[in-house]
Amino acid sequence: MTCQHCGTEISDKAIVCFRCGQSTSAPSAARPDARRRPAAQPLWLALTALLVLVAGGLYMARAASGQLPASVSYTVAALAAVVLVWRILKRRRT
Ligand SMILES: [Zn+2]
């Protein structure tokens, strides 16, 4: 069988993996999402983030020409930054 932790081929009778030392008695379903985590994000999530960024850019362009109060542009800029950081963190986790 294969070690559930490091993937090394070990004896079927082995109690612990000779390589990483992890017990083999744990059920294989104990860590299912560690391997089957989807690589791609949902499409709507990417589209929503893109829309927010585009809208933020448009508002920033308007604010730059003085059509919006400064507080609005600051809020939109902060929102865009939060979305950007959130996206980066999400990407790092996967
Ligand atoms: Zn192992």
Side-chain angles (χ1 to χ4, degrees), residues 28-75:
S28 58
R31 310 171 60 160
D33 51 354
R35 289 182 185 175
R36 294 183 186 174
R37 185 173 293 175
Q41 291 183 21
L43 187 63
W44 65 268
L45 205 65
L47 283 175
T48 304
L50 193 69
L51 272 174
V52 169
L53 286 176
V54 168
L58 286 174
Y59 274 112
M60 284 296 283
R62 279 198 185 182
S65 58
Q67 293 177 18
L68 281 176
S71 59
V72 174
S73 59
Y74 279 131
T75 304

Side-chain angles (χ1 to χ4, degrees), residues 3-8 10 16-23:
C3 172
Q4 298 155 11
H5 299 275
C6 67
T8 303
I10 53 177
V16 295
C17 171
F18 66 86
R19 190 175 182 187
C20 67
Q22 290 287 344
S23 172

